[in-house]
Amino acid sequence: MNKALDFLTSHIGTEITKSPSPFGNWLGGTIISAEAGEVVREFIVRSDMLNPLGTLHGGVTAAMMDDVLGMTVYSLNQPNVQVTVNLNVDYFLPARAGDVLRVKGEVVRDGRRLINAFVNVYNEDERLVARGTSNLMKSEMPVR
């Protein structure tokens, strides 16, 4: 039984508003699909997410990626919390207010101490906006 995956799948199609992460609530987004080791979430780019050029701030893009990766690792139903060790991002295309972005996280390897994952951000035309890789460390803190 995978309680974490059951929780995520029960929220498919629901906008994130009651995350244990206040920042995750600010980001919003809707879970599109979830399976063990893979989560897809959509975000609508808001005006408060933009940089001075009127495009999505790179830090917000990275935050979307990190939040989806957190859910992706959570879907593995591990007993302890995982924390991001690094997040490497390549940016390819801009996004603007009103754009819908689809962010897909996938676990590559679930090791003894580290989990390696990647994440892609696509626009409505299914063009790659950004790509990232990350390592997450398994902590001693139990999942609440």
Side-chain angles (χ1 to χ4, degrees):
M1 177 180 219
N2 185 332
K3 290 181 187 178
L5 187 57
D6 290 345
F7 176 80
L8 291 171
T9 58
S10 73
H11 287 82
I12 288 175
T14 305
E15 185 169 352
I16 306 296
T17 58
K18 295 182 180 169
S19 168
S21 163
F23 188 72
N25 289 325
W26 178 82
L27 282 173
T30 302
I31 299 172
I32 302 302
S33 65
E35 54 188 75
E38 185 177 304
V39 171
V40 178
R41 193 160 140 203
E42 280 188 350
F43 297 88
I44 297 173
V45 178
R46 303 186 312 262
S47 61
D48 61 342
M49 296 175 165
L50 303 180
N51 63 28
L53 298 174
T55 60
L56 181 62
H57 191 287
V60 177
T61 306
M64 290 174 177
M65 298 167 94
D66 189 54
D67 213 53
V68 169
L69 285 171
M71 284 185 159
T72 303
V73 171
Y74 175 70
S75 74
L76 298 175
N77 203 42
Q78 306 249 335
N80 293 339
V81 173
Q82 295 82 32
V83 295
T84 303
V85 174
N86 62 9
L87 176 62
N88 301 305
V89 181
D90 293 313
Y91 300 94
F92 302 113
L93 294 172
R96 292 179 171 67
D99 287 355
V100 176
L101 300 179
R102 186 169 283 222
V103 183
K104 179 182 179 183
E106 190 172 330
V107 170
V108 174
R109 182 175 186 276
D110 180 8
R112 191 174 59 81
R113 293 286 296 150
L114 290 177
I115 296 172
N116 179 267
F118 71 88
V119 58
N120 290 325
V121 179
Y122 300 95
N123 65 17
E124 293 167 282
D125 296 327
E126 297 183 23
R127 294 182 65 202
L128 190 62
V129 172
R131 168 175 285 156
T133 58
S134 182
N135 289 296
L136 299 97
M137 181 178 67
K138 298 177 181 183
S139 77
E140 301 296 322
M141 181 186 308
V143 173
R144 292 185 270 159

